[in-house]
Amino acid sequence: MRTVDEHLAAILAAVRPLTPLDLALLEAEGTILAEPVAAPVPLPPFDNSAMDGYAVVAADVAGATEQTPVTLPVVGDVAAGDTGVSAIASGMCTRIMTGAPVPAGADAVVPVEWTDGGIVSVRIDRSVPPGHYIRRAGEDVAEGQVVLEPGVRLGAPQIGMLAAVGRARVRVRPRPRVVVLSTGDELREPGSPLAPGQIWDSNSFMITAAVHEAGGVGFRHSALVDAPEKVLAALREQLTRADAVITTGGVSMGARDVVKEALAGTLTFTKVAMRPGKPQGFGLLDGVPVFTLPGNPVSAYVSFQVFVRPALRAMQGLPPEPPSAGTAVLAEPVRSPRGLRHYLRGRLTGGGAVTPASAQGSHQMGALAAADALIVVPEEREHMAAGEEVEIWRLP
Ligand code: AMP
Ligand code: MG
């Protein structure tokens, strides 16, 4: 039997980061940046107004109050997008809109709320210090500054940043394309009726969603019947569009272990010292990593988080980590099989405690769906007491 760490190490030794490619900005959403991005210009690129109001020489309105307002002639009107804005001199002002370039000569903006809003001339009721309500060129980002480092995931703010520095395309590691196939004669599509002995296929939906959570693109294939030649044919057909393939079911010790039959000799099938998820298979098929996970839904899910997620991260050039790990205090004692790393389903409660689910069967989706953490009990522990600190993984 392999340890969890040995099996994970074998997987990580076999997977490679995907080759970076240039994508249009919106296609790059959710991918991992593969180049440093610097600003070719300062941001903002020019001094501009932070308010709708009047661009003035601050010294002209130094004494302005409601009792002693200052009235200035309005010599112009500057809107965002105006080019060729004329300079002003002391004793005059111009109306200005948010984002409009500040005219040369002006050194402050008086918000419209502090004035009578005049168009030909304006009465100003408050003084402003020099620089007031002016957004200075470069105060956000300096010219040449690196705004995004390689390795960041491009979420909405990062996509916005790229656009703000003028980038239309960007070099990224793409989302791994992952084909998800389930196997089992008993499986039916959700939405279709069940005959006695049949169940709805949950694994392929759950694992496809998990692929997305891990940064990949999942392609779900409808369930395959338990016939090794059909499984092999479907796998080969899917390989062309896949950076990785995940199957579920058909890898344990029964009579219908089709995935094992189909891929024996190509993949390595092993028992891994863990619960749930003992029967595992992994290998390269025509150079494509293939993960064969066990069929019980909780086993498939835990196996995904333990082995597949780190591999998908490595393919994106990210540290091959499990979901966000931490510690919590056990609210109840737990038992654990000797020699196996045990991933129990639990719920985090206030105050840093975690309550193990009472249903810990590998078929018990109810407990998994209600869980927000896995509790990781090390191999050498057969029981842990309430109040003990334990490793937990927050579920994505
Ligand atoms: P197997 O490893 O194929 O023997 O499957 C083990 C258990 O998991 C059996 O009870 C199967 O019915 C169940 N199972 C396998 N695949 C799925 C699936 N895609 N969705 C839900 N349950 C499944
Ligand atoms: Mg099966």
Side-chain angles (χ1 to χ4, degrees), residues 318-388:
L318 297 172
E321 290 157 357
S324 149
T327 56
V329 172
L330 277 173
E332 288 164 22
V334 294
R335 303 199 145 277
S336 193
R338 175 197 287 273
L340 303 185
R341 194 173 300 177
H342 200 180
Y343 298 90
L344 293 145
R345 277 66 69 204
R347 276 198 72 80
L348 296 167
T349 49
V354 64
T355 306
S358 51
Q360 294 288 348
S362 62
H363 60 295
Q364 286 175 307
M365 273 300 290
L368 176 62
D372 56 8
L374 293 178
I375 302 168
V376 186
V377 181
E379 288 80 346
E380 67 278 9
R381 300 299 303 270
E382 286 182 77
H383 38 76
M384 293 188 79
E388 270 196 76

Side-chain angles (χ1 to χ4, degrees), residues 89-184:
S90 177
M92 42 175 100
C93 70
T94 136
R95 220 148 68 103
I96 193 164
M97 310 306 150
T98 306
V102 174
D107 65 356
V109 170
V110 181
V112 68
E113 292 84 350
W114 300 357
T115 73
D116 67 355
I119 291 170
V120 177
S121 70
V122 63
R123 197 192 72 230
I124 293 170
D125 295 335
R126 277 168 77 168
S127 65
V128 289
H132 200 66
Y133 286 129
I134 293 179
R135 305 191 289 210
R136 292 290 176 199
E139 73 173 27
D140 180 9
V141 172
E143 180 176 342
Q145 185 182 328
V146 172
V147 291
L148 294 169
E149 298 279 1
V152 304
R153 191 180 293 286
L154 299 178
Q158 293 73 34
I159 296 284
M161 181 80 260
L162 289 165
V165 297
R167 294 294 296 263
R169 306 184 69 82
V170 65
R171 194 158 186 77
V172 296
R173 282 191 207 281
R175 292 173 175 270
R177 298 161 306 157
V178 184
V179 169
V180 180
L181 295 150
S182 52
T183 63

